[in-house]
Amino acid sequence: MPLAFSVFWMRNFFRSVPVGIIEAARLDGASDWRLLGRILVPASRPALLTMAMLVFMWTWNEFLLPLVMITDENKRTAPLGLAFFQSEHTTQYSLPAAASIIVALPVVALHLFLQRHFISGMLSGAVKA
């Protein structure tokens, strides 16, 4: 799922790059690799960071695949371990609530750290000039 979304996301971003920029680089003699490395990748930084953040969030919150694949108790992921906080007959709400905050903390911290790039990456193709 994240790979297909990433290809779709970056394809749409690169299609929104003005053709004039690419033509100007070609007139200056830029090869395909130079065009990609010097012009397109630096311009796509907000889109790349937004995509990386979304893929990290999806990967971090993955539940079904680790549930099926991981058999060892010591190798569970954090969201998967959160599901095993409930007992059969009684439920303490304070422990799962604290564990939920701890599990969500890396995603929230990453969002706060990359918030400016995330917003500009989400809006990069929204308005045509």
Side-chain angles (χ1 to χ4, degrees):
M1 173 71 184
L3 179 63
F5 173 77
S6 300
V7 170
F8 175 74
W9 183 269
M10 293 312 297
R11 179 183 179 273
N12 283 339
F13 176 80
F14 286 128
R15 286 181 58 113
S16 70
V17 172
V19 179
I21 293 174
I22 296 171
E23 289 175 355
R26 293 285 184 201
L27 286 175
D28 287 342
S31 66
D32 290 338
W33 290 105
R34 181 173 218 115
L35 176 68
L36 183 67
R38 298 285 177 144
I39 296 168
L40 294 177
V41 170
S44 67
R45 184 175 166 199
L48 284 169
L49 289 172
T50 301
M51 180 192 65
M53 190 172 109
L54 290 172
V55 168
F56 172 77
M57 182 182 64
W58 289 334
T59 305
W60 180 261
N61 290 329
E62 182 68 37
F63 181 77
L64 187 59
L65 188 63
L67 180 65
V68 172
M69 302 294 278
I70 297 176
T71 57
D72 188 10
E73 233 175 72
N74 297 327
K75 295 181 181 174
R76 287 186 186 144
T77 61
L80 183 60
L82 185 60
F84 291 98
F85 260 94
Q86 61 186 353
S87 67
E88 187 174 333
H89 299 291
T90 61
T91 302
Q92 293 180 357
Y93 293 108
S94 59
L95 288 176
S100 297
I101 291 173
I102 292 171
V103 167
L105 198 60
V107 175
V108 172
L110 183 69
H111 179 70
L112 290 175
F113 182 69
L114 297 175
Q115 182 178 5
R116 180 181 50 152
H117 300 291
F118 181 71
I119 298 300
S120 64
M122 293 295 281
L123 296 176
S124 63
V127 179
K128 286 227 174 207

